[in-house]
Amino acid sequence: MTSYPHLLAPLDLGFTTLKNRVLMGSMHTGLEERGDWNRVAEFYGARARGGAALIVTGGMAPNREGGVFPGAAGLYTDEDIANHKSVTDRVHAEGGKIAMQILHAGRYAYGPDCVSASPVKSPISPFPPKELDEDGIQKQIADFATAAARAKQAGYDGVEVMGSEGYLLNQFLVAHTNKRTDDWGGSYDNRMRLSIAVVKAVREAVGPDFIVIFRLSMIDLVPNGSSFEEVVTLAKEVEKAGATIINTGIGWHEARIPTIATSVPRAAFTWVTKKLMGQVAIPVITSNRINTPEVGEEVLSGGAADMVSMARPFLADPDFVAKAAAGKAAEIAPCIACNQACLDHTFGGKISTCLVNPRACYETDLTIEPAEIAKKIAIVGAGPAGLATALVADERGHKVTLFDRADEIGGQLNMAKQVPGKEEFWGLVDWYRTMVAKSGIDLRLNTEVSADDLDGFDEVIIATGVIPRDTGIDGQEGANVLSYIDVLRGKAPVGDRVAIIGAGGIGFDVAEYLTQKGDSPTENLDEWLAEWGVADPGTARGGLAPEGPQPEAAARQVTLMQRKAQALGKGLGKTTGWIHRATLKMKGVEMVGGVNYERIEARGIMVSTGEARENPRLIECDTVVMCAGQVSERSLADALQAKGITAHVIGGADVAAELDAKRAINQGSRLAASL
């Protein structure tokens, strides 16, 4: 008897059966563009081995103008087909099925040859698109069909036609981007012609016994987006045109509403998919922020969809489904939706990976092999760096002792999890706790370690993290001054008016923590939808509430300050920074850059501007919170060096630039793999 009867039930498509209801959704990893096809094959093969019923690749361009950037992967030549066949062969050898996503970026293509329904420039690209003429439209339809035929030749089990997220087909669908007055614009019947024509052409090209998924935008979250009546109309026509499955797309890339970041509630948009259930006879997939088997089971048992799509959870743990089926759900490494190593890497031109699992997309590079000689290893510090090192070293057969002065593992993850919108960090710490308990690691908490305590170990690893930097501001010893540690650990009361010194990631976190009143909106879907102005697309076109965002009033009056004379939050994550800035703006946080901190008084903090320290003013507040950076905690490393003992120093103890769990976990994992 399984705990997930709906999630693990097979899905009969008529000509083929999917072994469960879990789709590994499409993600652009950057692997295909690197040309190492064994690496691509191992990435997808590992996910097939881990139990995903159907995998969808990252978007493959149907032609050069449709690539998301110049040189984007596609199937243009016989060599391309042979390379992709090496991937499909690997997936099939592991018992999986795989579909290739055909993605035409339209005006989102980052290049001068981009095309669209109308010459309306995207806000996220500097290149205005060329308006397609009749011949150009017919070429796009033919190229979609050719790409599908090539995918079948390459051994794929199906294709997914990307019709959502604001890409080309979506651009034709809505008046927001389609200003045409010919047969491809104007009425909705005309605007949906391209999507229907593409699906018909694809079905004709691949024949009947081949999976054709249409990714349909069910809530655009942009002005003049589709109404839900139009969504249903398109779904029915796509079904008639030959689609096997309809998959859910949520929001355009330019939408100013978060859709997959960690602050978005779990399964936040499954209610949109549920509105389509019963309107079509083919299976419907729902998506976005489904990251545990429990959530997937609840979504399916509640009738919101026939299947669930999870993308980044398969970066965090390729064995997601296998562990769920084996009753080991607690051992599934959790996707925390941080975006730091996946989407931020993608938009930065880097290969995607995962903060929680640095082996993602590096399966052939970061290998975990049994150690030739088992060593006694001491690791001091049970934060993310120390935990990652300990688990990999233990997996390899080393005898690991893990020390920490605190009474719980997790280090500064235990502060991150207190921040509204970062509740997923609770699950990450719980996962580490589960895996340490399952391992052979000798965990010693509440233990202060000296250099003398580390005699007799073959390897010593220092992962002691960071301590707050001393700013040297006059008056910083006052009773009204707290460190971010005091605040996030709840060690001291905070007044109603707060000035925060330092506007890096920690400063933003503390500001969000202090402005939140009551429960986090991430834990309350109705509150979160109201906060961001999301409405039912059945009553509000595009799903945008006419009244706009309605955030709850801030719990405190907060001023966030930094020395740099630039926009605050500029150094935050590429794909999440705007969310944090928007959240604080909605809470009325005053953001002040380019200030000198003159002195802290009982009434507040005196600041000035410029090298000449001009325009002095008092920012009145009850509490000043120090978030002005960190320095490495290296006292133990220095003591070992003085004794002549060579130690490995990792994580924040090595580099204290912000609190970087991604770098810490990667560094620790790679060190342990090499010992």
Side-chain angles (χ1 to χ4, degrees), residues 605-628:
I605 179 168
M606 183 68 72
V607 299
S608 64
T609 58
E611 292 184 11
R613 310 187 91 84
E614 300 171 324
N615 306 313
R617 70 167 173 132
L618 178 70
I619 296 177
E620 295 187 18
C621 61
D622 306 303
T623 306
V624 176
V625 182
M626 294 288 191
C627 303

Side-chain angles (χ1 to χ4, degrees), residues 92-113:
H92 294 151
E94 298 292 356
K97 296 182 188 295
I98 185 167
M100 186 189 83
Q101 186 185 79
I102 308 173
L103 185 155
H104 191 305
R107 71 178 191 149
Y108 282 170
Y110 207 81
D113 297 327

Side-chain angles (χ1 to χ4, degrees), residues 79-333:
E79 183 182 0
D80 288 335
I81 292 172
N83 288 333
H84 281 260
K85 192 163 192 320
S86 69
V87 176
T88 60
D89 285 348
R90 187 78 60 87
V91 168
H92 294 151
E94 298 292 356
K97 296 182 188 295
I98 185 167
M100 186 189 83
Q101 186 185 79
I102 308 173
L103 185 155
H104 191 305
R107 71 178 191 149
Y108 282 170
Y110 207 81
D113 297 327
C114 61
V115 297
S116 187
S118 301
V120 180
K121 192 180 83 67
S122 159
I124 61 174
S125 170
F127 302 101
K130 299 178 181 68
E131 179 173 306
L132 286 163
D133 59 16
E134 180 68 29
D135 288 344
I137 290 173
Q138 295 301 330
K139 176 184 183 298
Q140 306 311 314
I141 296 169
D143 288 349
F144 268 94
T146 299
R150 287 174 174 159
K152 186 174 183 180
Q153 190 178 347
Y156 284 101
D157 301 284
V159 292
E160 178 174 78
V161 175
M162 182 47 137
S164 67
E165 262 69 17
Y167 291 115
L168 178 72
L169 300 185
N170 221 172
Q171 291 161 27
F172 268 80
L173 284 167
V174 303
H176 181 63
T177 44
N178 187 338
K179 310 296 183 183
R180 305 175 73 98
T181 56
D182 62 3
D183 291 345
W184 302 95
S187 69
Y188 190 70
D189 285 346
N190 284 352
R191 285 183 274 126
M192 71 176 178
R193 281 182 66 207
L194 181 58
S195 293
I196 297 166
V198 165
V199 175
K200 284 182 177 177
V202 165
R203 175 54 74 195
E204 186 175 340
V206 298
D209 297 340
F210 193 74
I211 299 169
V212 176
I213 307 168
F214 187 80
R215 184 83 175 266
L216 196 159
S217 182
M218 295 196 194
I219 182 168
D220 291 327
L221 301 176
V222 294
N224 297 315
S226 295
S227 69
F228 202 74
E229 181 182 357
E230 291 168 345
V231 168
V232 173
T233 299
L234 178 60
K236 290 178 177 179
E237 292 302 318
V238 163
E239 179 181 17
K240 291 178 189 175
T244 316
I245 303 172
I246 290 175
N247 194 5
T248 295
I250 300 294
W252 289 32
H253 285 314
E254 65 202 72
R256 292 293 86 185
I257 293 167
T259 56
I260 56 175
T262 190
S263 58
V264 178
R266 289 179 174 179
F269 293 97
T270 56
W271 58 273
V272 182
T273 310
K274 190 173 184 178
K275 288 169 65 68
L276 186 64
M277 292 292 284
Q279 304 278 0
V280 292
I282 57 177
V284 176
I285 303 172
T286 193
S287 66
N288 287 45
R289 291 288 286 121
I290 299 167
N291 66 342
T292 70
E294 290 78 13
V295 173
E297 178 67 20
E298 182 179 354
V299 166
L300 294 175
S301 65
D306 299 294
M307 194 173 188
V308 293
S309 173
M310 304 181 201
R312 294 177 300 163
F314 281 99
L315 289 179
D317 198 327
D319 297 320
F320 185 105
V321 178
K323 289 179 179 177
K328 298 180 179 179
E331 296 179 22
I332 296 172

Side-chain angles (χ1 to χ4, degrees), residues 410-649:
Q412 301 217 26
L413 295 176
N414 291 308
M415 285 186 287
K417 71 187 186 185
Q418 304 298 333
V419 177
K422 291 192 172 183
E423 287 81 6
E424 292 291 357
F425 282 85
W426 285 90
L428 179 56
V429 175
D430 288 344
W431 176 74
Y432 275 125
R433 191 177 295 114
T434 295
M435 299 311 291
V436 168
K438 177 177 178 284
S439 73
I441 296 167
D442 179 6
L443 176 63
R444 302 185 188 181
L445 298 174
N446 297 302
T447 304
E448 191 76 43
V449 178
S450 70
D452 292 338
D453 296 324
L454 299 173
D455 292 336
F457 287 95
D458 300 313
E459 302 278 358
V460 175
I461 299 166
I462 303 302
T464 44
V466 298
I467 53 176
R469 185 172 64 85
D470 182 357
T471 61
I473 299 172
D474 185 23
Q476 67 180 17
E477 302 301 327
N480 60 336
V481 181
L482 303 174
S483 77
Y484 67 88
I485 296 174
D486 297 326
V487 173
L488 293 177
R489 291 193 181 276
K491 292 182 177 178
V494 180
D496 292 333
R497 299 173 302 164
V498 180
I500 298 174
I501 294 176
I506 298 172
F508 270 77
D509 278 353
V510 169
E512 291 186 42
Y513 176 81
L514 291 177
T515 53
Q516 179 58 44
K517 183 186 297 182
D519 293 336
S520 164
T522 301
E523 302 288 277
N524 185 321
L525 179 57
D526 289 340
E527 185 180 330
W528 184 88
L529 293 171
E531 178 173 90
W532 286 97
V534 180
D536 186 337
T539 58
R541 182 172 285 277
L544 295 181
E547 64 274 17
Q550 300 291 313
E552 189 178 42
R556 293 177 177 83
Q557 176 187 320
V558 173
T559 302
L560 183 60
M561 304 174 291
Q562 69 179 21
R563 283 195 170 101
K564 292 180 181 177
Q566 64 182 34
L568 274 68
K570 193 173 181 181
L572 299 177
K574 197 172 184 68
T575 61
T576 55
W578 71 270
I579 301 172
H580 297 296
R581 291 189 291 271
T583 298
L584 295 191
K585 184 177 180 181
M586 287 192 291
K587 293 293 188 181
V589 172
E590 181 184 5
M591 300 190 192
V592 182
V595 299
N596 306 304
Y597 306 120
E598 298 295 344
R599 64 185 179 277
I600 299 170
E601 305 174 356
R603 297 180 301 150
I605 179 168
M606 183 68 72
V607 299
S608 64
T609 58
E611 292 184 11
R613 310 187 91 84
E614 300 171 324
N615 306 313
R617 70 167 173 132
L618 178 70
I619 296 177
E620 295 187 18
C621 61
D622 306 303
T623 306
V624 176
V625 182
M626 294 288 191
C627 303
Q630 307 81 35
V631 294
S632 297
E633 170 51 281
R634 297 183 61 96
S635 57
L636 182 55
D638 293 341
L640 288 167
Q641 185 176 15
K643 284 189 64 176
I645 297 174
T646 301
H648 306 276
V649 183

